[in-house]
Structure formats: structure tokens, C-alpha cells
């Protein structure tokens, strides 16, 4: 009988120690508890993914990051000067930007500089021909065009205020398309 009591006491102690270890492990962060929130954010190009961040230089040589625009709705446009559909959408983009730039909306135009036939054509395209006032950055190494899968241009991503991809458009965008897409996101 004494042996049975000792065995029960030993089993109880082992059980309590095991339970205590599990409780400590749960509170150490290895397992979520009621006070822990786990957020799983996937960076990528699909709708609902966090848009991959990047940093490029403007025509003036100033560094600019996509994440600098967090809190604003972003139309991220990848283009080249020689591209007829890119040329066709630029006046619409400029008109849209001028009307909505104070409404928490920006257009970030990424020139695919590695695809340019004449790299010296970018500056006159932006400032003289189309008189663009939205931010234009240069993808001189082609990394961002590849990252954003700009295999056909123009390629445009609509990104919400938290940095998540909401739409992808291949081909030129009209003023009405931009307005509809931007109005449908936070």
C-alpha cells in the first residue's frame, strides 16, 4: 500500500512538472496564447499580398521607396518611352494625378531604363513632352521590372493605403479605370 502511494505521488509530481513545462513553453512565445496575435503577411504580387518594397532614384538622383507612400493609395506604373500604350496612358495618368494628388493618391512611375532604346529620351519625355508632375524613378538595373513581372508594358499595380496589392493591369489605363480601381480600395 505504501508503494502504491509513493507511485501515485511520483506520477502526480511528474504530471505536474510536465504540465508546468508545457505552460512555460506556451508563454515563452513558442506557442500563441490568448494574448498573442500572429499576423502572417505574404509579400508578393497577387491580390492581397504586401507589395514588395524597393528603392530607386528619381530623375534628380533622389532616393525614393515604395514604402514612402504608405498611407496613400498608389498606382505603380512600369513603362518605357518607346511603348505606344505607355504613351497613350500618360496624359490620363497626369490628369488623374493632378485632380487627386491631394486626396491621398499618388502615381509612382517606374521607367524600365534597361528597356529604353535611348536612355537620354526619358527626361524630355517626362518634363517636356508630357509634363509629368508625379514621381518618376529609374530602374537602371532592371531589378524592379523583373520583380514586378513587367514582361509586357505598361504593367500597373494598384496598391492600397497599407501597401497591399489590390489590382494588376497589363496594358494602358484610362482615367475612368484609375478612378474606379482607386475608389474601390481603402
Amino acid at each position: 500500500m505504501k508503494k502504491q502511494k509513493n507511485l501515485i505521488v511520483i506520477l502526480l509530481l511528474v504530471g505536474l512538472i510536465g504540465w508546468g513545462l508545457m505552460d512555460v513553453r506556451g508563454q515563452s512565445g513558442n506557442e500563441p496564447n490568448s494574448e498573442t496575435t500572429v499576423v502572417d503577411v505574404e509579400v508578393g504580387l497577387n491580390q492581397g499580398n504586401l507589395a514588395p518594397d524597393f528603392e530607386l532614384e528619381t530623375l534628380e538622383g533622389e532616393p525614393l521607396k515604395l514604402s514612402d507612400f504608405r498611407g496613400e493609395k498608389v498606382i505603380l506604373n512600369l513603362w518605357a518611352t518607346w511603348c505606344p500604350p505607355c504613351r497613350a496612358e500618360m496624359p490620363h495618368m497626369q490628369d488623374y494625378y493632378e485632380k487627386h494628388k491631394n486626396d491621398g493618391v499618388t502615381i509612382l512611375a517606374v521607367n524600365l531604363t534597361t528597356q529604353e532604346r535611348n536612355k537620354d529620351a526619358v527626361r524630355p519625355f517626362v518634363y517636356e513632352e508630357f509634363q509629368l508632375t508625379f514621381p518618376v524613378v529609374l530602374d537602371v538595373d532592371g531589378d524592379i521590372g523583373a520583380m514586378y513581372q513587367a514582361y509586357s508594358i505598361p504593367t500597373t499595380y494598384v496598391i492600397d493605403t497599407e501597401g497591399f496589392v489590390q489590382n494588376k493591369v497589363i496594358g494602358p489605363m484610362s482615367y475612368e479605370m484609375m478612378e474606379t480601381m482607386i475608389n474601390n480600395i481603402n
Side-chain angles (χ1 to χ4, degrees):
M1 183 88 153
K2 191 172 183 178
K3 284 186 176 184
Q4 283 181 330
K5 283 185 181 180
N6 286 341
L7 184 59
I8 291 173
V9 169
I10 291 172
L11 287 174
L12 256 167
L13 286 174
V14 169
L16 286 172
I17 291 170
W19 180 64
L21 288 174
M22 286 177 49
D23 188 45
V24 168
R25 193 181 78 184
Q27 291 179 7
S28 70
N30 294 335
E31 293 179 8
N33 61 29
S34 62
E35 297 175 14
T36 305
T37 304
V38 176
V39 178
D40 187 20
V41 176
E42 185 174 346
V43 175
L45 302 176
N46 294 323
Q47 185 176 20
N49 290 160
L50 185 64
D53 199 8
F54 60 84
E55 181 176 307
L56 293 173
E57 289 186 359
T58 65
L59 288 167
E60 291 74 33
E62 297 294 320
L64 197 61
K65 292 182 182 180
L66 175 62
S67 58
D68 291 342
F69 298 99
R70 202 63 52 83
E72 295 182 55
K73 299 174 186 180
V74 178
I75 297 172
L76 176 65
N77 180 255
L78 297 101
W79 62 281
T81 60
W82 55 263
C83 160
C86 301
R87 298 177 72 80
E89 75 180 353
M90 284 300 167
H92 299 287
M93 290 197 162
Q94 180 59 35
D95 290 345
Y96 187 84
Y97 179 73
E98 281 302 315
K99 183 172 181 188
H100 295 285
K101 66 183 177 185
N102 296 322
D103 300 334
V105 178
T106 197
I107 293 174
L108 178 58
V110 176
N111 174 260
L112 302 174
T113 314
T114 56
Q115 294 187 22
E116 288 292 350
R117 295 176 185 148
N118 178 5
K119 293 176 181 29
D120 294 330
V122 179
R123 186 174 292 280
F125 178 96
V126 170
Y127 294 123
E128 296 164 22
E129 188 174 355
F130 290 96
Q131 299 174 359
L132 304 177
T133 58
F134 49 80
V136 175
V137 292
L138 305 172
D139 184 14
V140 295
D141 296 325
D143 297 339
I144 306 312
M147 179 191 306
Y148 274 84
Q149 301 175 1
Y151 305 127
S152 179
I153 55 175
T155 296
T156 303
Y157 290 86
V158 177
I159 301 168
D160 69 18
T161 58
E162 296 176 0
F164 291 95
V165 174
Q166 296 301 316
N167 291 296
K168 177 181 180 181
V169 177
I170 298 173
M173 292 183 60
S174 68
Y175 184 97
E176 293 76 21
M177 288 173 69
M178 288 180 264
E179 196 150 86
T180 299
M181 282 192 242
I182 290 295
N183 288 341
N184 288 330
I185 64 171
N186 68 5

